[in-house]
Amino acid sequence: MTGTLVLAGTPIGDVADAPPRLSKELAEADVIAAEDTRRLRRLTQALGVTPGGRVVSYFEGNESARTPELVEELRGGARVLLVTDAGMPSVSDPGYRLVAAAVEHDIKVTAVPGPSAVLTALALSGLPVDRFCFEGFLPRKGGERLSRLREVAGERRTLVYFEAPHRLDDTLAAMAEVFGADRRAAVCRELTKTYEEVKRGPLADLAAWAAEGVRGEITVVVEGAPEAGPEELDAGELVRRVRIREDAGERRKEAIAAVAAEAGLPKRVVFDAVVAAKRSAG
């Protein structure tokens, strides 16, 4: 009889947010796979729990090698608890490989729901929450970061990102360049911790604020692209959208067709705007 893989959410800041079931799972699991065993020790001490099984590390550097070991434990009937430093495992954290391997071997996978920086930031942002998409961390290199942002420049759902504090100003500046300086956003810092802060405003203003230096765990929430009607898009905006798509790798013909479809305009209108811009630049 195979065991069970349990994905457990851990506090993103305030330890009092730990789900009640977490203590029970920590005490009863045969194996606890932790992203950082030292942080796990601090968490169990804060919760007043003594782990009942053996503790092993499971982080980005050893995921590939340790996954088969944990699968064998599961196949032997063990209850394996997976925890990361904060939030839900596999959401920009270790866990996906182990879940996929468990599913492949027909092993039961369940979860102890817990705090999530994604949902917490989204709820606090003041931006639309009916439809959203999580984009995780952007690439570190500037060119790759711009390319990734251009891919979602027309996305109408609210966007959620994680970012390191020392890259925040560059990321917000890149977002202002691609999405528009006036696009609304919220920077959520140190959620549920002592110095929690939510800074809201246009991307350009937030980029200027971040240039002074920001610390802590960061989640960025960005408003989706507006559903503009034909009368709201001038020729310059049409050309800008075509260029964004071209920079992302689309051929001009396809980029013009896509922008025309988004704007509800005939392709000829967008084409003429692009040709006119090219003539004026030449």
Side-chain angles (χ1 to χ4, degrees), residues 226-250:
E227 296 187 30
E231 71 284 353
E232 298 178 63
L233 297 178
D234 60 20
E237 176 62 16
L238 294 173
V239 172
R240 188 183 79 86
R241 292 190 179 193
V242 170
R243 286 174 177 166
I244 286 173
R245 288 181 170 273
E246 286 186 301
D247 289 342
E250 285 189 22

Side-chain angles (χ1 to χ4, degrees), residues 75-240:
R75 293 181 68 184
R79 190 172 185 85
V80 176
L81 178 67
L82 176 61
V83 294
T84 55
D85 291 348
M88 285 299 297
S90 80
V91 181
S92 281
D93 273 331
Y96 168 75
R97 288 187 178 90
L98 184 55
V99 172
V103 171
E104 183 180 349
H105 288 85
D106 201 27
I107 294 167
K108 180 181 178 181
V109 181
T110 187
V112 177
S116 166
V118 175
L119 296 180
T120 303
L122 187 67
L124 294 176
S125 69
L127 298 172
V129 299
D130 54 332
R131 299 175 67 225
F132 71 94
C133 53
F134 175 56
E135 289 290 311
F137 283 95
L138 286 165
R140 297 181 181 183
K141 295 182 178 179
E144 294 177 5
R145 181 168 54 233
L146 283 171
S147 179
R148 182 74 60 81
L149 290 171
R150 286 167 182 148
E151 291 175 6
V152 296
E155 175 59 64
R156 290 176 177 172
R157 293 173 293 179
T158 299
L159 300 158
V160 185
Y161 294 89
F162 287 159
E163 190 51 279
H166 63 279
R167 291 196 298 268
L168 180 63
D169 56 341
D170 289 338
T171 291
L172 290 171
M175 287 177 172
E177 176 183 342
V178 175
F179 297 155
D182 294 330
R183 181 82 71 89
R184 293 187 301 163
V187 176
C188 303
R189 187 180 72 86
E190 294 289 270
L191 290 172
T192 78
K193 299 177 183 177
T194 302
Y195 298 104
E196 175 180 287
E197 179 181 21
V198 179
K199 192 76 172 178
R200 306 175 183 87
L203 281 168
D205 291 355
L206 291 175
W209 164 75
E212 299 177 6
V214 179
R215 295 182 179 181
E217 299 286 335
I218 305 292
T219 305
V220 181
V221 186
V222 185
E223 181 181 31
E227 296 187 30
E231 71 284 353
E232 298 178 63
L233 297 178
D234 60 20
E237 176 62 16
L238 294 173
V239 172
R240 188 183 79 86

